[in-house]
Amino acid sequence: MNQFHLYNIEILKQYRLILNRYGREDLSYPLLVSPTLLNKDGKILYVGQETNTWGREYENPEIVGKLESLYERFLRNGATNRPFWKFLKPILTSELHEQVIWSNLLLCGKKETLGTPELPQELITLSIDYLYHLYKESNPSLVLIASSSRTPYNAIVEEFLQRIDIFHLDRPTAQQPYSVDKDEKVLWTYHPKYLYMSKNCAKVQEACKRIILK
């Protein structure tokens, strides 16, 4: 059996234990990456904030494979036309599912509504662990973090960067809407919704294209 599938089984088990411990029924199912899309190194690891309402079509998906299949179908079908995906697609040189591994800073979002969920520290730690493990498994050519630099996202980004030995990467600012490490392995920018509102989208897309095509 695929090792990443086994890892997803363990993550879902831990996730449910934490939810039960805190009596939480307001959170979505976790975003679990399909092992079939981890078939080669060098993809772009595209990291957002959280995925609200994920998996709500399942009342109780006991089989992790259902969540993995949901993930794979979503990417193979071109995701959505929301700003998060509209920002990414023009910088790609091949189909979305062929070039991108998608994940989030938070493993889950809200079950029924939008916005940043309030999570216990155990779920934040589990989220960082999952993202780090995904990074090691996918060996990406670029980590593209598209997230607000406010709490709780900034602390998760900084902890993740330390784990992958990226130090002294500045947070994006209004004056400089993206930051890149010296080896151009990680680019951190705002969430695309803000990039469009601040009219910085094209500037950041050009920076991403340059790194991808170098």
Side-chain angles (χ1 to χ4, degrees):
M1 187 176 292
N2 183 281
Q3 289 299 311
F4 198 83
H5 175 69
L6 294 176
Y7 180 70
N8 278 340
I9 291 174
E10 180 59 28
I11 287 294
L12 185 58
K13 177 182 177 182
Q14 292 183 41
Y15 177 76
R16 284 175 166 155
L17 287 173
I18 295 170
L19 261 58
N20 289 337
R21 187 178 307 138
Y22 288 90
R24 297 292 296 269
E25 298 181 354
D26 59 325
L27 298 175
S28 71
Y29 288 112
L31 182 71
L32 300 180
V33 174
S34 170
T36 59
L37 297 185
L38 286 175
N39 54 7
K40 65 177 181 179
D41 294 343
K43 289 187 174 184
I44 298 167
L45 178 56
Y46 189 41
V47 184
Q49 296 179 170
E50 71 278 317
T51 306
N52 294 295
T53 74
W54 187 254
R56 62 180 172 183
E57 57 265 56
Y58 299 128
E59 289 188 8
N60 186 20
E62 292 295 337
I63 302 174
V64 168
K66 289 185 178 180
L67 293 174
E68 294 172 344
S69 295
L70 174 63
Y71 176 96
E72 182 170 357
R73 289 196 309 274
F74 183 79
L75 288 193
R76 287 187 182 276
N77 290 337
T80 70
N81 203 36
R82 291 181 178 177
F84 184 76
W85 296 105
K86 285 179 66 176
F87 164 77
L88 177 68
K89 291 174 184 178
I91 73 175
L92 301 180
T93 58
S94 60
E95 294 294 324
L96 179 64
H97 68 277
E98 295 175 345
Q99 194 172 358
V100 172
I101 296 295
W102 164 48
S103 192
N104 285 315
L105 297 174
L106 297 176
L107 192 59
C108 63
K110 294 181 178 180
K111 185 176 183 179
E112 301 293 346
T113 60
L114 304 179
T116 305
E118 293 186 11
L119 301 182
Q121 184 58 46
E122 290 95 322
L123 276 182
I124 292 177
T125 299
L126 190 67
S127 297
I128 299 170
D129 289 345
Y130 191 82
L131 186 59
Y132 176 68
H133 187 81
L134 181 60
Y135 172 85
K136 298 296 287 185
E137 287 292 316
S138 61
N139 188 27
S141 58
L142 172 67
V143 179
L144 176 52
I145 302 172
S147 168
S148 165
S149 58
R150 62 182 174 83
T151 304
Y153 308 114
N154 57 345
I156 297 173
V157 171
E158 288 166 4
E159 171 66 21
F160 170 68
L161 292 177
Q162 288 184 16
R163 291 199 190 187
I164 64 173
D165 299 323
I166 301 292
F167 303 99
H168 311 300
L169 186 67
D170 295 330
R171 299 177 186 179
T173 65
Q175 294 73 33
Q176 182 56 39
Y178 69 91
S179 182
V180 186
D181 74 297
K182 63 182 179 65
D183 296 320
E184 297 189 326
K185 294 292 187 182
V186 177
L187 186 149
W188 182 7
T189 189
Y190 287 104
H191 190 281
K193 186 174 181 179
Y194 177 80
L195 292 178
Y196 280 106
M197 291 174 56
S198 61
K199 302 187 185 307
N200 281 311
C201 186
K203 178 179 181 180
V204 180
Q205 284 175 324
E206 286 303 313
C208 293
K209 288 179 183 178
R210 180 185 60 78
I211 294 172
I212 292 168
L213 296 175
K214 70 178 181 179

